[in-house]
Amino acid sequence: MADAFRRAESGTQLLARLEGRSSLKDLEPHLFAEEGSPVHGDVIEFHGPEGTGKTEMLYHLIARCIIPKSGGGLEVEVMFIDTDYHFDMLRLVTVLEHRLAQRTEEMIKQCLGRLFLVNCNSSTQLLLTLYSLENLFCTHPSLCLLILDSISAFYWIDRSNGGESLNLQEMNLKKCANFLEKLVRDHHLALFATTQTLMQKSANSAESFFPLKLQHETDTDYRPYLCKSWQQMVTHRIFFSKQCNSGNSKGFTVISCHLKRNHVVKRSFSVAECGVQF
């Protein structure tokens, strides 16, 4: 019975791949250092301290995905895994209401029907959740975007539970990262994940992380602290910060780095009731 299920699942997965996932290249051009990004297989990390617009940017991207093509959206499905328990459905609905030409309850419901929301309260639960989601990606060819907010949520808990052993501290996150990489590769997804600034930058951390071409173009307080399995799979890292010298308290800056091609771009955006505005 189990073998038959695996064969059926494999066939469904093949069919989904043959049908192809919708392109996400028009998701938000201002956010990337490369034209045509993101593509299937990309892993994008949003990094920054609290209050720098990361979650608002996620609402912006979700809205772009779930709004129908007739309304200027991509009309694709999104899986949102919330580990911080910060997801605000009313805030997303507000953004949708400002962007939809037809602001009817039925249209809002149709849009939200393209969003799958899951909560996880430990790295173990996150790992089990990822395993359980694979069949969903097989049977939903329009499910193109996976969002994880945040992948660093259980960092300190796992460090405490792992004692003095680094392998035990990182065990669950390594397994999560490896399976996320498999999901993204096998099902042609794009993955967005947020991380918080938990570590202060050391004297040589920039040199160890940024390619030579990017070291002089970025001014970010970044020190990698998650496991190497995660660091190695990230294709884009986008740094969020507040605009300190701006009179606009809702002004933010992103520095977007394409890690594989050594490209970087800096953009400013603001957050209003209608959502993110570049």
Side-chain angles (χ1 to χ4, degrees), residues 166-204:
L166 181 62
N167 286 334
L168 289 178
Q169 292 174 15
E170 295 186 339
M171 180 177 63
N172 282 345
L173 183 58
K174 281 182 178 178
K175 291 179 179 179
C176 289
N178 290 335
F179 197 74
L180 280 168
E181 188 173 26
K182 179 182 183 299
L183 286 176
V184 168
R185 180 186 66 246
D186 291 354
H187 301 286
H188 298 177
L189 309 172
L191 168 63
F192 284 78
T194 64
T195 59
Q196 288 194 12
T197 303
L198 300 181
M199 301 290 184
Q200 291 184 345
K201 182 173 67 174
S202 60
N204 62 350

Side-chain angles (χ1 to χ4, degrees), residues 7 38 74 82 137 154 184 199 237 268:
R7 285 196 297 271
L74 301 180
D82 183 11
F137 288 114
F154 312 119
V184 168
M199 301 290 184
R237 186 166 279 114
S268 296

Side-chain angles (χ1 to χ4, degrees), residues 79-113:
M79 168 60 68
F80 191 103
I81 302 177
D82 183 11
T83 61
D84 286 327
Y85 286 78
H86 288 168
F87 186 84
D88 187 344
M89 185 64 74
L90 291 179
R91 176 59 183 149
L92 176 61
V93 170
T94 299
V95 173
L96 290 173
E97 287 176 340
H98 279 85
R99 299 188 182 187
L100 287 168
Q102 294 179 301
R103 303 174 186 177
T104 63
E105 182 178 348
E106 182 59 32
M107 179 57 70
I108 296 291
K109 286 182 177 179
Q110 285 182 19
C111 291
L112 294 179

Side-chain angles (χ1 to χ4, degrees), residues 206-225:
E207 287 74 8
S208 63
F209 164 68
F210 286 112
L212 288 174
K213 185 177 179 182
L214 301 186
Q215 289 179 20
H216 304 294
E217 300 183 52
T218 56
D219 182 20
T220 57
D221 186 15
Y222 178 71
R223 179 182 174 187
Y225 57 88

